[in-house]
Short mmCIF file of all heavy atoms in Angstrom, two decimals:
data_model
loop_
_atom_site.label_atom_id
_atom_site.label_comp_id
_atom_site.label_asym_id
_atom_site.label_seq_id
_atom_site.Cartn_x
_atom_site.Cartn_y
_atom_site.Cartn_z
N GLN A 1 0.82 -1.22 0.00
CA GLN A 1 0.00 0.00 0.00
C GLN A 1 0.85 1.27 0.00
O GLN A 1 0.33 2.36 -0.05
CB GLN A 1 -0.92 0.01 1.23
CG GLN A 1 -1.94 -1.09 1.24
CD GLN A 1 -2.65 -1.21 2.58
OE1 GLN A 1 -2.52 -0.37 3.46
NE2 GLN A 1 -3.42 -2.27 2.74
N GLY A 2 2.16 1.10 0.07
CA GLY A 2 3.06 2.26 0.08
C GLY A 2 3.05 3.01 1.39
O GLY A 2 3.43 4.18 1.44
N LYS A 3 2.64 2.36 2.47
CA LYS A 3 2.58 3.00 3.78
C LYS A 3 3.85 2.74 4.58
O LYS A 3 4.45 1.68 4.47
CB LYS A 3 1.39 2.48 4.58
CG LYS A 3 0.05 2.87 4.02
CD LYS A 3 -1.06 2.38 4.93
CE LYS A 3 -2.42 2.79 4.41
NZ LYS A 3 -3.49 2.30 5.30
N ASP A 4 4.22 3.71 5.40
CA ASP A 4 5.32 3.53 6.35
C ASP A 4 4.69 3.37 7.73
O ASP A 4 4.31 4.36 8.36
CB ASP A 4 6.25 4.73 6.33
CG ASP A 4 7.39 4.60 7.33
OD1 ASP A 4 7.44 3.60 8.08
OD2 ASP A 4 8.23 5.52 7.37
N PRO A 5 4.59 2.14 8.23
CA PRO A 5 3.92 1.92 9.51
C PRO A 5 4.72 2.44 10.70
O PRO A 5 4.20 2.50 11.81
CB PRO A 5 3.81 0.40 9.58
CG PRO A 5 4.93 -0.10 8.72
CD PRO A 5 5.08 0.91 7.63
N PHE A 6 5.96 2.85 10.46
CA PHE A 6 6.81 3.31 11.55
C PHE A 6 6.93 4.82 11.61
O PHE A 6 7.59 5.35 12.50
CB PHE A 6 8.18 2.65 11.43
CG PHE A 6 8.07 1.15 11.33
CD1 PHE A 6 8.32 0.49 10.14
CD2 PHE A 6 7.67 0.40 12.43
CE1 PHE A 6 8.19 -0.88 10.04
CE2 PHE A 6 7.53 -0.97 12.35
CZ PHE A 6 7.80 -1.61 11.14
N ALA A 7 6.30 5.51 10.69
CA ALA A 7 6.33 6.97 10.69
C ALA A 7 5.57 7.50 11.90
O ALA A 7 4.50 6.98 12.25
CB ALA A 7 5.72 7.52 9.41
N PRO A 8 6.10 8.54 12.55
CA PRO A 8 5.39 9.10 13.70
C PRO A 8 4.16 9.90 13.23
O PRO A 8 4.05 10.25 12.05
CB PRO A 8 6.43 10.02 14.34
CG PRO A 8 7.35 10.39 13.23
CD PRO A 8 7.38 9.19 12.30
N VAL A 9 3.29 10.18 14.16
CA VAL A 9 2.15 11.05 13.88
C VAL A 9 2.69 12.44 13.58
O VAL A 9 3.59 12.93 14.28
CB VAL A 9 1.18 11.08 15.09
CG1 VAL A 9 0.08 12.11 14.88
CG2 VAL A 9 0.60 9.70 15.34
N ALA A 10 2.17 13.08 12.56
CA ALA A 10 2.61 14.43 12.19
C ALA A 10 2.40 15.38 13.36
O ALA A 10 1.38 15.30 14.07
CB ALA A 10 1.86 14.91 10.96
N LYS A 11 3.34 16.27 13.56
CA LYS A 11 3.29 17.22 14.69
C LYS A 11 2.03 18.09 14.67
O LYS A 11 1.50 18.44 15.70
CB LYS A 11 4.53 18.11 14.69
CG LYS A 11 5.81 17.33 14.82
CD LYS A 11 6.41 17.51 16.18
CE LYS A 11 7.76 16.83 16.25
NZ LYS A 11 7.78 15.72 17.14
N ASP A 12 1.55 18.44 13.46
CA ASP A 12 0.39 19.32 13.36
C ASP A 12 -0.93 18.56 13.23
O ASP A 12 -1.97 19.16 12.99
CB ASP A 12 0.56 20.30 12.21
CG ASP A 12 0.69 19.60 10.86
OD1 ASP A 12 0.87 18.37 10.82
OD2 ASP A 12 0.61 20.31 9.84
N GLN A 13 -0.90 17.25 13.40
CA GLN A 13 -2.10 16.43 13.29
C GLN A 13 -3.03 16.67 14.49
O GLN A 13 -2.59 16.65 15.63
CB GLN A 13 -1.72 14.94 13.25
CG GLN A 13 -2.89 13.99 13.17
CD GLN A 13 -3.59 14.04 11.83
OE1 GLN A 13 -2.94 14.14 10.81
NE2 GLN A 13 -4.90 13.98 11.85
N MET A 14 -4.30 16.93 14.21
CA MET A 14 -5.28 17.06 15.29
C MET A 14 -5.73 15.67 15.71
O MET A 14 -6.09 14.86 14.86
CB MET A 14 -6.46 17.91 14.83
CG MET A 14 -6.08 19.36 14.59
SD MET A 14 -7.47 20.38 14.10
CE MET A 14 -8.54 20.21 15.51
N CYS A 15 -5.70 15.39 17.01
CA CYS A 15 -6.02 14.06 17.51
C CYS A 15 -7.06 14.16 18.63
O CYS A 15 -7.03 15.10 19.42
CB CYS A 15 -4.75 13.40 18.08
SG CYS A 15 -3.42 13.28 16.87
N THR A 16 -7.94 13.18 18.68
CA THR A 16 -8.90 13.15 19.77
C THR A 16 -8.15 12.93 21.07
O THR A 16 -7.16 12.21 21.12
CB THR A 16 -9.94 12.03 19.58
OG1 THR A 16 -9.25 10.78 19.49
CG2 THR A 16 -10.76 12.27 18.32
N GLN A 17 -8.62 13.53 22.11
CA GLN A 17 -7.98 13.41 23.42
C GLN A 17 -8.64 12.30 24.21
O GLN A 17 -9.49 12.54 25.06
CB GLN A 17 -8.03 14.76 24.16
CG GLN A 17 -7.25 15.85 23.47
CD GLN A 17 -5.80 15.45 23.24
OE1 GLN A 17 -5.07 15.12 24.15
NE2 GLN A 17 -5.39 15.47 21.97
N GLN A 18 -8.27 11.09 23.86
CA GLN A 18 -8.75 9.91 24.56
C GLN A 18 -7.54 9.11 24.98
O GLN A 18 -6.47 9.21 24.36
CB GLN A 18 -9.68 9.08 23.68
CG GLN A 18 -8.99 8.51 22.45
CD GLN A 18 -9.97 7.95 21.45
OE1 GLN A 18 -10.67 8.69 20.78
NE2 GLN A 18 -10.01 6.62 21.35
N HIS A 19 -7.68 8.35 26.02
CA HIS A 19 -6.56 7.57 26.52
C HIS A 19 -6.85 6.10 26.25
O HIS A 19 -7.86 5.57 26.66
CB HIS A 19 -6.38 7.82 28.02
CG HIS A 19 -5.19 7.13 28.60
ND1 HIS A 19 -3.91 7.50 28.28
CD2 HIS A 19 -5.09 6.09 29.46
CE1 HIS A 19 -3.06 6.73 28.94
NE2 HIS A 19 -3.75 5.86 29.66
N GLY A 20 -5.94 5.45 25.55
CA GLY A 20 -6.14 4.06 25.17
C GLY A 20 -5.40 3.08 26.04
O GLY A 20 -5.27 1.92 25.68
N GLY A 21 -4.88 3.55 27.17
CA GLY A 21 -4.17 2.65 28.07
C GLY A 21 -2.70 3.01 28.17
O GLY A 21 -2.22 3.93 27.53
N ASN A 22 -2.00 2.25 28.98
CA ASN A 22 -0.60 2.53 29.27
C ASN A 22 0.39 1.76 28.39
O ASN A 22 1.59 1.82 28.62
CB ASN A 22 -0.30 2.21 30.74
CG ASN A 22 -1.08 3.12 31.66
OD1 ASN A 22 -1.29 4.29 31.35
ND2 ASN A 22 -1.53 2.58 32.78
N ALA A 23 -0.11 1.05 27.41
CA ALA A 23 0.76 0.22 26.58
C ALA A 23 1.78 1.08 25.84
O ALA A 23 1.47 2.18 25.37
CB ALA A 23 -0.07 -0.57 25.58
N THR A 24 3.00 0.56 25.76
CA THR A 24 4.05 1.18 24.96
C THR A 24 4.73 0.09 24.15
O THR A 24 4.72 -1.09 24.53
CB THR A 24 5.12 1.88 25.83
OG1 THR A 24 5.76 0.92 26.66
CG2 THR A 24 4.50 2.98 26.68
N ALA A 25 5.32 0.50 23.04
CA ALA A 25 6.08 -0.43 22.22
C ALA A 25 7.24 0.32 21.59
O ALA A 25 7.16 1.52 21.32
CB ALA A 25 5.20 -1.05 21.14
N HIS A 26 8.30 -0.41 21.38
CA HIS A 26 9.49 0.13 20.72
C HIS A 26 9.91 -0.90 19.68
O HIS A 26 10.10 -2.08 20.02
CB HIS A 26 10.59 0.38 21.75
CG HIS A 26 11.81 1.02 21.18
ND1 HIS A 26 13.06 0.84 21.74
CD2 HIS A 26 12.00 1.82 20.10
CE1 HIS A 26 13.95 1.52 21.04
NE2 HIS A 26 13.34 2.12 20.04
N ILE A 27 10.02 -0.47 18.44
CA ILE A 27 10.39 -1.37 17.36
C ILE A 27 11.69 -0.85 16.74
O ILE A 27 11.77 0.32 16.35
CB ILE A 27 9.29 -1.48 16.29
CG1 ILE A 27 8.00 -1.99 16.92
CG2 ILE A 27 9.74 -2.38 15.14
CD1 ILE A 27 6.83 -2.06 15.96
N THR A 28 12.67 -1.74 16.65
CA THR A 28 13.95 -1.39 16.02
C THR A 28 14.30 -2.46 15.00
O THR A 28 13.78 -3.58 15.05
CB THR A 28 15.09 -1.30 17.06
OG1 THR A 28 15.20 -2.55 17.74
CG2 THR A 28 14.85 -0.19 18.07
N GLY A 29 15.18 -2.12 14.10
CA GLY A 29 15.66 -3.08 13.12
C GLY A 29 15.66 -2.49 11.73
O GLY A 29 15.90 -1.29 11.55
N THR A 30 15.35 -3.34 10.74
CA THR A 30 15.27 -2.88 9.36
C THR A 30 13.98 -3.39 8.74
O THR A 30 13.52 -4.49 9.02
CB THR A 30 16.47 -3.38 8.52
OG1 THR A 30 16.52 -4.81 8.59
CG2 THR A 30 17.77 -2.79 9.01
N TRP A 31 13.41 -2.55 7.87
CA TRP A 31 12.20 -2.88 7.14
C TRP A 31 12.30 -2.20 5.78
O TRP A 31 12.58 -1.00 5.71
CB TRP A 31 10.96 -2.40 7.90
CG TRP A 31 9.67 -2.72 7.22
CD1 TRP A 31 9.08 -3.95 7.10
CD2 TRP A 31 8.79 -1.80 6.56
NE1 TRP A 31 7.89 -3.85 6.41
CE2 TRP A 31 7.69 -2.54 6.06
CE3 TRP A 31 8.82 -0.44 6.32
CZ2 TRP A 31 6.65 -1.95 5.35
CZ3 TRP A 31 7.78 0.15 5.63
CH2 TRP A 31 6.71 -0.61 5.15
N GLN A 32 12.10 -2.97 4.73
CA GLN A 32 12.18 -2.45 3.37
C GLN A 32 13.52 -1.75 3.13
O GLN A 32 13.57 -0.71 2.47
CB GLN A 32 11.01 -1.50 3.10
CG GLN A 32 9.64 -2.13 3.23
CD GLN A 32 9.38 -3.10 2.09
OE1 GLN A 32 9.35 -2.71 0.94
NE2 GLN A 32 9.18 -4.36 2.41
N GLY A 33 14.58 -2.26 3.72
CA GLY A 33 15.91 -1.70 3.53
C GLY A 33 16.18 -0.43 4.32
O GLY A 33 17.24 0.17 4.18
N GLN A 34 15.26 -0.02 5.17
CA GLN A 34 15.40 1.20 5.96
C GLN A 34 15.56 0.86 7.43
O GLN A 34 14.93 -0.08 7.93
CB GLN A 34 14.17 2.11 5.79
CG GLN A 34 13.91 2.52 4.36
CD GLN A 34 15.01 3.40 3.80
OE1 GLN A 34 15.46 4.34 4.46
NE2 GLN A 34 15.48 3.08 2.60
N ASP A 35 16.36 1.65 8.13
CA ASP A 35 16.48 1.48 9.58
C ASP A 35 15.19 1.90 10.26
O ASP A 35 14.54 2.87 9.84
CB ASP A 35 17.63 2.33 10.13
CG ASP A 35 18.99 1.79 9.72
OD1 ASP A 35 19.09 0.59 9.41
OD2 ASP A 35 19.95 2.57 9.72
N VAL A 36 14.81 1.16 11.28
CA VAL A 36 13.60 1.45 12.04
C VAL A 36 13.98 1.68 13.50
O VAL A 36 14.75 0.91 14.08
CB VAL A 36 12.61 0.26 11.96
CG1 VAL A 36 11.43 0.47 12.88
CG2 VAL A 36 12.16 0.04 10.53
N ASP A 37 13.44 2.74 14.08
CA ASP A 37 13.55 3.03 15.51
C ASP A 37 12.30 3.81 15.87
O ASP A 37 12.30 5.03 15.85
CB ASP A 37 14.82 3.82 15.83
CG ASP A 37 15.04 3.98 17.33
OD1 ASP A 37 14.18 3.52 18.12
OD2 ASP A 37 16.06 4.58 17.72
N ALA A 38 11.21 3.08 16.12
CA ALA A 38 9.90 3.71 16.30
C ALA A 38 9.33 3.40 17.68
O ALA A 38 9.45 2.28 18.18
CB ALA A 38 8.94 3.21 15.22
N HIS A 39 8.70 4.40 18.26
CA HIS A 39 8.03 4.27 19.56
C HIS A 39 6.53 4.40 19.36
O HIS A 39 6.08 5.22 18.55
CB HIS A 39 8.52 5.36 20.52
CG HIS A 39 9.97 5.21 20.87
ND1 HIS A 39 10.40 4.48 21.95
CD2 HIS A 39 11.09 5.66 20.26
CE1 HIS A 39 11.72 4.51 22.00
NE2 HIS A 39 12.17 5.22 20.97
N PHE A 40 5.79 3.60 20.09
CA PHE A 40 4.33 3.59 20.00
C PHE A 40 3.74 3.72 21.39
O PHE A 40 4.26 3.15 22.35
CB PHE A 40 3.82 2.28 19.37
CG PHE A 40 4.22 2.12 17.94
CD1 PHE A 40 5.47 1.65 17.60
CD2 PHE A 40 3.33 2.44 16.93
CE1 PHE A 40 5.85 1.51 16.28
CE2 PHE A 40 3.69 2.30 15.59
CZ PHE A 40 4.97 1.83 15.27
N THR A 41 2.65 4.48 21.49
CA THR A 41 1.87 4.60 22.72
C THR A 41 0.40 4.56 22.34
O THR A 41 0.06 4.43 21.16
CB THR A 41 2.17 5.94 23.45
OG1 THR A 41 1.72 7.02 22.61
CG2 THR A 41 3.65 6.09 23.77
N ARG A 42 -0.45 4.71 23.33
CA ARG A 42 -1.89 4.77 23.08
C ARG A 42 -2.46 5.98 23.83
O ARG A 42 -3.50 5.92 24.45
CB ARG A 42 -2.55 3.46 23.51
CG ARG A 42 -2.03 2.28 22.68
CD ARG A 42 -2.61 0.97 23.07
NE ARG A 42 -4.06 0.92 22.97
CZ ARG A 42 -4.75 0.71 21.85
NH1 ARG A 42 -4.12 0.53 20.70
NH2 ARG A 42 -6.06 0.68 21.88
N THR A 43 -1.74 7.11 23.74
CA THR A 43 -2.07 8.29 24.54
C THR A 43 -3.12 9.21 23.93
O THR A 43 -3.60 10.10 24.62
CB THR A 43 -0.80 9.13 24.79
OG1 THR A 43 -0.21 9.46 23.53
CG2 THR A 43 0.20 8.35 25.64
N ASN A 44 -3.45 9.03 22.67
CA ASN A 44 -4.52 9.83 22.05
C ASN A 44 -5.06 9.07 20.84
O ASN A 44 -4.56 8.00 20.49
CB ASN A 44 -4.02 11.23 21.67
CG ASN A 44 -2.91 11.22 20.65
OD1 ASN A 44 -2.96 10.51 19.65
ND2 ASN A 44 -1.87 12.01 20.90
N GLY A 45 -6.09 9.63 20.21
CA GLY A 45 -6.72 8.93 19.10
C GLY A 45 -5.78 8.62 17.95
O GLY A 45 -5.88 7.55 17.33
N CYS A 46 -4.87 9.52 17.64
CA CYS A 46 -3.91 9.27 16.55
C CYS A 46 -2.96 8.14 16.88
O CYS A 46 -2.67 7.29 16.03
CB CYS A 46 -3.12 10.55 16.26
SG CYS A 46 -4.12 11.91 15.62
N GLU A 47 -2.47 8.13 18.11
CA GLU A 47 -1.53 7.08 18.51
C GLU A 47 -2.23 5.73 18.61
O GLU A 47 -1.66 4.70 18.27
CB GLU A 47 -0.85 7.44 19.83
CG GLU A 47 0.09 8.62 19.74
CD GLU A 47 1.34 8.37 18.92
OE1 GLU A 47 1.64 7.21 18.55
OE2 GLU A 47 2.06 9.35 18.63
#
């Protein structure tokens, strides 16, 4: 689909202010020949 699943949420993105829990994730390595170092949370609707 041409998507980068490791891209962060854009800084100017408007997000709903809901809390999806305390889960966190950190993904490192390589994907599609690119280095990956991505952090994930569930702190708002975008995340």
Side-chain angles (χ1 to χ4, degrees):
Q1 296 169 9
K3 293 184 178 179
D4 178 358
F6 307 108
V9 173
K11 300 253 185 247
D12 61 348
Q13 178 70 40
M14 292 182 60
C15 303
T16 59
Q17 296 305 303
Q18 64 192 73
H19 184 69
N22 296 325
T24 62
H26 184 207
I27 300 177
T28 58
T30 57
W31 181 72
Q32 300 289 298
Q34 301 295 314
D35 289 337
V36 173
D37 187 357
H39 294 269
F40 294 82
T41 65
R42 297 179 58 81
T43 56
N44 62 45
C46 295
E47 293 291 350

